[in-house]
Amino acid sequence: MSSQDRPADSKPAVQSTQESRMEGTDDRFNSKLREAFGSSPFILTKFDQFMNWVRGSSMFMLQFGIACCSIEMMSTYAIKHDLDRFGSGVPRASPRQADVIIVPGTIVSKFAPRMKRVYDQMPEPKFVVSMGSCTISGGPFQQGYNVVKGAEEVIPCDIHVPGCPPRPEALIYGVAKLQERIANGESSPVTVKPYELEQFGDLERDELVDHLAEDIDQETLVMRYNWADSS
Amino acid sequence: MSLEDPRDTEEGRQELVGATEEGVDYDALEDLLGEHVTGRESHVNAEAFVIRPDEVQAVLFALRDQAGFDHLSNLSAQEQEDRYESIYHLKKYDDPTQEVTVVVPTSKRDPRSQSAEPVYRTADWHEREAYDLIGIEYDDHPDLRRILLPETWQGHPMGLDYDKDQPQVVSFENHANPLEEDHQDAESDTMFINIGPHHPATHGVLHLKTVLDGEQIADVEPDIGYLHRCEEQMAQQGKYKKEIMPYPDRWDYSSAGILNEWSYARAAEDLADLEVPEYAQVIRTMGAELSRMAGHMLAVGTFALDVYGDFTAIFQYAFRDREKILNLLEDLTGQRLMFNYLRLGGVAWDLPEPREEYFEKLRDFLDELPQTVEEYHNLLSSNEIFQIRCVDTGVLEPDVAKSYGATGPVARGSGIDYDLRRDDPYGYYPELDWDVITEDGCDNYARVLVRLQEVEQSARIIEQCVDLLAEWPEEDREIQSNVPRTLRPEEDAEIYRAVEAAKGELGIYIRSDGTDSPARFKIRSPCFSNLQTLPELSEGEYVPDMVASLGSLDIILGEVDR
Ligand code: SF4
């Protein structure tokens, strides 16, 4: 960029913005796309399809870190891998501004209700990329007394990226696949085995619930884990 | 606070009971403790005194004030067939090879012993953890609640008869209404806010319950456990030889994997009496320092992000440099992040072929490093905004740091000259030429400076390792010693061993029961102790300064919660 590298005699050092832009023919509006369309600068498409294409091409990711996988997720956003190249945005800190949540890590009993709440706060349409073995099955910690066996026990997932941790390239591939599916208007079946957030008063009464009745208010939201049922 | 100065008088070390040139004189200590001692055990790392559960404070005060054991390194609690045990591992900041262990057995029926919190502040969280996971109750404890598991959890999962399949209910309370606290009485005008567990500045899933008075922090309480994924249970289920090693990588996951692996390797090797060939030690040392650099780069990059939202320059630069290190580590180990490279008695494989090319890559990286570090100093440490944010904020006085068991760059930033690589030598460190970095600032700035300088020291170490490895005669390149097919350390052998990981002293306590997996595996996490200092750093400061302090503590939640 610096003007010192130029040979002294080639051009005047100072050039007005107008001059520099108007050099040659002004073809700012003659985009490649327009050339491709030929004489008629119109395309016909269904509005839905157009919207899907738009959606897939501009996705805002939620800045959401949980465990080791989030380190690789950060690498994916950062220099070298630069997820932004694929139109999947800069991470947003607020769930209310995000379309996609990447779930990067082990989910444990204390965190699952919070994650569910964050997911609920995202506006529709929203998509979930589950990153790493932990979000598929609990991964290396599947046997842990405190570990939820996969993100799908709590929220629905669109794409699973396997690995422990997946390489940034794998995550990019996962996100690109998601974009492709969104652009094609495909959606995943919702396969949540839901650990729901519900009011304590609505839980079926059993020994445990009776035992806790003194400590927990009827209206407090709770998540009940039936560890024996989750595989 | 019931803190007394560890050594009220400046009598010097000669006066300390039991401190001799050759190590600790345990008989002298036993005389000092007199009737408190009801038995004596030999652990692999130190002698242990068994004491009564209601005399914990008297014993620990004596050991701290008269024998100079000012560092409560760890508390390992466990349930055995016939009793509960709390094991206090004590060390000295001046000389961590001087260790003593205090074992407090309690009955099965009523597991109750006296709290050590008045002696060492750090016992607060350690005892809460022991209560949470094992079920031992501590009298006199200021606030004995669950720490890692949710309040409503039933049972103590590391106890012997815990049923893993029993259902649990976890409550999700809404924000406490700020106005409620606001109007508690006519005078007060404090406000309660939740920071986290989903928040960009908390470095993961940490929840800070913060009470503000105007803009200043009146009270902050870290609420942890959002990433408690049962690392100790996992290790206790695994077999010594190969099944435990993958987990340490996942404690401190800031690419500091090899450092963590080494902590397990060191403890298990000493427990089972395994040799490690020198050549393997050099490779370990080199790999460990590469890991440390990557970890510190992440710390510096995210710190810049915290302090002035610098996503575009320093954060990206730090990641650029990390990528270089990760490439080198990947060549060495085959993985970018979860290396699983160390083996008991050596390493998994030799350096990548062609060796010359690998050395070339390493040397190129090291040649560029001085400019890189210079760049950080230009962008970061000599930046005026940065200095305004960091100098004299988050002050941690050395004696407070010691009482909380702070280690690593956090301690060294408070002028505590404590580095296990030098003070409790292992690996190839004693043969190499490098310095322990300390800074006297005690503030956020000092902690960052320590990390940046440690990167340079790591580079020095790696450089020497590369030279050694390049010269190493081909016939002596032994990467693994002879290790039996199944490892069964002696029954009832106990050990506590620590290494200097990226964040500080990472220790492992193992008790063997004669089988091929540990009966108890306890992790002493440096981040756990370091995070405990946060209230000290930030009370009375502004919220942004607390965020800076949190960043400068450089915690990794995977290691805090384990
Ligand atoms: S999948 Fe592996 S790397 Fe990812 S969070 Fe789980 S343990 Fe960590």
Side-chain angles (χ1 to χ4, degrees):
Chain A
M1 284 276 267
S2 83
S3 51
Q4 283 105 320
D5 324 330
R6 266 192 223 148
D9 53 354
S10 73
K11 281 206 187 98
V14 189
Q15 203 178 20
S16 76
T17 315
Q18 196 180 15
E19 277 167 16
S20 63
R21 295 210 50 177
M22 298 305 285
E23 214 170 288
T25 47
D26 174 14
D27 57 357
R28 266 177 296 166
F29 299 105
N30 279 329
S31 68
K32 297 238 162 59
L33 210 53
R34 182 159 177 182
E35 261 165 48
F37 288 142
S39 54
S40 114
F42 301 104
I43 49 170
L44 279 176
T45 178
K46 286 202 207 114
F47 188 67
D48 280 0
Q49 259 170 19
F50 176 70
M51 280 312 290
N52 284 339
W53 175 75
V54 169
R55 237 170 232 148
S57 314
S58 162
M59 302 202 303
F60 281 14
M61 319 301 263
L62 179 64
Q63 184 177 352
F64 184 70
I66 304 180
C68 357
C69 276
S70 50
I71 301 287
E72 282 301 64
M73 185 185 72
M74 275 153 74
S75 297
T76 316
Y77 288 131
I79 219 156
K80 179 167 171 190
H81 298 102
D82 190 8
L83 187 60
D84 205 6
R85 287 177 296 164
F86 303 96
S88 18
V90 176
R92 313 300 301 173
S94 161
R96 299 187 198 280
Q97 300 169 349
D99 309 312
V100 182
I101 174 174
I102 301 180
V103 186
T106 326
I107 302 153
V108 302
S109 70
K110 202 168 167 180
F111 191 62
R114 276 78 184 175
M115 182 176 81
K116 172 91 171 116
R117 173 52 62 92
V118 168
Y119 173 79
D120 289 344
Q121 285 174 342
M122 289 167 57
E124 292 281 358
K126 53 190 165 192
F127 305 94
V128 180
V129 177
S130 93
M131 177 181 187
S133 318
C134 281
T135 54
I136 295 173
S137 64
F141 302 100
Q142 196 188 30
Q143 313 257 312
Y145 49 81
N146 190 29
V147 174
V148 175
K149 320 290 181 263
E152 260 176 0
E153 308 254 302
V154 185
I155 58 176
C157 299
D158 293 275
I159 295 273
H160 290 287
V161 182
C164 183
R167 297 178 67 90
E169 292 87 336
L171 181 60
I172 293 177
Y173 180 72
V175 171
K177 272 284 162 207
L178 177 67
Q179 290 176 306
E180 201 180 300
R181 299 184 59 175
I182 296 173
N184 293 335
E186 293 166 17
S187 65
S188 322
V190 176
T191 54
V192 207
K193 280 185 286 173
Y195 277 155
E196 272 299 340
L197 264 184
E198 50 198 327
Q199 288 194 342
F200 184 69
D202 295 344
L203 287 185
E204 236 174 87
R205 295 197 75 93
D206 64 1
E207 210 183 320
L208 173 64
V209 174
D210 285 339
H211 182 74
L212 287 169
E214 278 181 18
D215 303 330
I216 305 183
D217 200 74
Q218 291 291 309
E219 281 167 20
T220 300
L221 291 175
V222 296
M223 196 172 266
R224 186 195 162 104
Y225 298 98
N226 296 320
W227 298 118
D229 301 348
S230 56
S231 48
Chain B
M1 230 194 309
S2 53
L3 250 188
E4 287 165 30
D5 187 30
R7 263 159 273 152
D8 276 325
T9 46
E10 292 287 330
E11 285 161 11
R13 299 183 59 182
Q14 287 77 18
E15 302 292 322
L16 297 175
V17 179
T20 64
E21 286 295 314
E22 292 88 54
V24 187
D25 177 359
Y26 291 104
D27 294 330
L29 288 183
E30 191 167 346
D31 289 345
L32 169 72
L33 299 179
E35 298 195 336
H36 297 305
V37 178
T38 62
R40 201 160 140 173
E41 295 174 4
S42 278
H43 293 185
V44 180
N45 60 311
E47 290 285 295
F49 297 115
V50 183
I51 61 164
R52 287 167 47 91
D54 53 355
E55 292 175 347
V56 177
Q57 289 177 9
V59 169
L60 293 183
F61 269 125
L63 286 174
R64 188 191 79 181
D65 296 339
Q66 287 165 46
F69 289 96
D70 52 355
H71 180 26
L72 171 57
S73 180
N74 187 27
L75 161 59
S76 316
Q78 58 183 327
E79 182 180 359
Q80 301 206 24
E81 288 310 324
D82 57 342
R83 63 185 188 279
Y84 284 88
E85 262 182 7
S86 314
I87 307 175
Y88 295 87
H89 303 277
L90 307 182
K91 289 187 180 181
K92 296 179 182 174
Y93 271 103
D94 285 338
D95 180 3
T97 53
Q98 305 219 338
E99 297 176 64
V100 66
T101 308
V102 175
V103 180
V104 189
T106 52
S107 73
K108 263 304 225 226
R109 221 170 14 84
D110 184 25
R112 185 172 276 286
S113 70
Q114 204 179 25
S115 166
E117 195 270 345
V119 195
Y120 303 100
R121 284 286 293 120
T122 183
D124 179 353
W125 278 22
H126 282 288
E127 285 173 355
R128 277 177 68 190
E129 184 187 319
Y131 164 70
D132 190 358
L133 301 186
I134 313 281
I136 303 176
E137 308 211 7
Y138 293 90
D139 288 331
D140 265 6
H141 190 282
D143 183 20
L144 195 65
R145 287 177 290 130
R146 287 192 183 270
I147 184 167
L148 294 174
L149 290 167
E151 288 283 332
T152 50
W153 198 265
Q154 302 297 305
H156 302 281
M158 299 298 279
L160 290 181
D161 53 0
Y162 179 75
D163 172 16
K164 199 156 82 62
D165 286 339
Q166 78 192 61
Q168 301 282 356
V169 170
V170 174
S171 71
F172 176 64
E173 314 257 0
N174 263 320
H175 292 268
N177 177 1
L179 298 182
E180 244 172 66
E181 296 254 340
D182 226 348
H183 296 295
Q184 257 179 356
D185 62 63
E187 291 298 298
S188 90
D189 101 308
T190 58
M191 183 170 99
F192 175 83
I193 57 169
N194 284 307
I195 304 179
H198 163 63
H199 188 280
T202 54
H203 288 223
V205 281
L206 170 67
H207 176 202
L208 299 172
K209 297 177 181 164
T210 320
V211 179
L212 300 184
D213 180 358
E215 278 221 55
Q216 278 162 326
I217 293 177
D219 182 50
V220 55
E221 190 205 322
D223 172 23
I224 62 176
Y226 293 94
L227 193 52
H228 172 55
R229 42 188 184 178
C230 327
E231 299 274 11
E232 288 170 6
Q233 179 206 349
M234 292 297 127
Q236 283 169 215
Q237 284 178 359
K239 299 205 173 78
Y240 287 106
K241 190 154 177 208
K242 294 229 169 102
E243 293 176 8
I244 298 178
M245 197 55 93
Y247 285 100
D249 286 319
R250 289 160 180 82
W251 303 340
D252 171 0
Y253 43 69
S254 66
S255 346
I258 294 185
L259 295 157
N260 307 350
E261 289 172 23
W262 207 340
S263 69
Y264 169 59
R266 188 176 185 211
E269 280 157 5
D270 285 358
L271 184 69
D273 213 2
L274 303 174
E275 291 293 319
V276 184
E278 243 177 46
Y279 180 67
Q281 293 285 29
V282 182
I283 300 184
R284 281 183 178 187
T285 309
M286 183 184 79
E289 292 308 310
L290 282 169
S291 285
R292 188 185 313 276
M293 281 166 119
H296 282 355
M297 290 287 180
L298 182 77
V300 170
T302 49
F303 187 61
L305 191 60
D306 288 341
V307 171
Y308 45 53
D310 187 348
F311 187 67
T312 42
I314 302 166
F315 180 78
Q316 303 285 357
Y317 287 8
F319 267 79
R320 175 199 64 191
D321 297 324
R322 258 173 61 87
E323 282 295 334
K324 290 184 195 157
I325 303 170
L326 293 189
N327 284 342
L328 291 170
L329 280 168
E330 190 181 348
D331 287 348
L332 180 67
T333 67
Q335 244 279 26
R336 271 170 62 87
L337 206 56
M338 302 301 170
F339 311 110
N340 192 14
Y341 179 59
L342 266 45
R343 293 286 179 274
L344 299 187
V347 294
W349 42 70
D350 202 349
L351 300 177
E353 294 288 345
R355 293 164 67 92
E356 279 317 312
E357 201 176 292
Y358 188 59
F359 293 139
E360 204 51 39
K361 280 192 205 167
L362 278 164
R363 290 209 172 98
D364 284 350
F365 168 70
L366 293 174
D367 286 346
E368 283 172 20
L369 198 77
Q371 291 105 288
T372 315
V373 176
E374 191 56 42
E375 199 168 51
Y376 288 110
H377 281 301
N378 287 340
L379 283 166
L380 204 67
S381 52
S382 59
N383 179 324
E384 208 180 315
I385 309 174
F386 183 80
Q387 292 182 357
I388 292 172
R389 288 292 313 274
C390 296
V391 174
D392 278 342
T393 58
V395 175
L396 181 66
E397 296 298 340
D399 45 344
V400 180
K402 285 183 181 176
S403 170
Y404 279 100
T407 48
V410 176
R412 291 194 285 273
S414 291
I416 302 173
D417 193 6
Y418 182 78
D419 189 322
L420 293 177
R421 290 175 289 175
R422 180 200 58 196
D423 300 338
D424 182 12
Y426 58 97
Y428 214 72
Y429 293 110
E431 326 296 325
L432 305 173
D433 187 23
W434 57 283
D435 298 320
V436 175
I437 303 291
T438 54
E439 286 282 335
D440 291 328
C442 305
D443 51 8
N444 293 336
Y445 192 61
R447 290 188 276 275
V448 175
L449 283 188
V450 167
R451 289 198 184 95
L452 282 172
Q453 293 173 66
E454 284 190 6
V455 168
E456 291 171 320
Q457 294 300 328
S458 296
R460 271 178 78 186
I461 297 176
I462 297 169
E463 207 169 347
Q464 296 169 51
C465 291
V466 173
D467 291 344
L468 281 167
L469 291 171
E471 311 268 277
W472 211 276
E474 196 163 347
E475 60 284 1
D476 285 351
R477 291 186 198 149
E478 198 193 338
I479 55 163
Q480 173 85 52
S481 63
N482 260 338
V483 179
R485 182 178 287 252
T486 356
L487 275 181
R488 288 200 186 81
E490 247 171 80
E491 194 171 338
D492 283 331
E494 296 176 53
I495 190 170
Y496 173 72
R497 268 278 184 269
V499 300
E500 186 72 28
K503 320 292 185 227
E505 176 178 344
L506 177 59
I508 306 291
Y509 165 82
I510 301 178
R511 179 172 63 87
S512 146
D513 58 358
T515 64
D516 52 3
S517 35
R520 179 76 174 111
F521 189 99
K522 169 82 175 82
I523 307 160
R524 188 267 181 205
S525 137
C527 294
F528 184 76
S529 301
N530 291 352
L531 176 61
Q532 229 182 323
T533 63
L534 184 69
E536 299 280 345
L537 294 183
S538 46
E539 271 161 29
E541 306 249 8
Y542 296 122
V543 181
D545 291 339
M546 180 189 72
V547 169
S549 301
L550 185 62
S552 78
L553 288 179
D554 185 25
I555 51 158
I556 293 285
L557 267 299
E559 196 177 69
V560 175
D561 294 347
R562 284 151 292 143

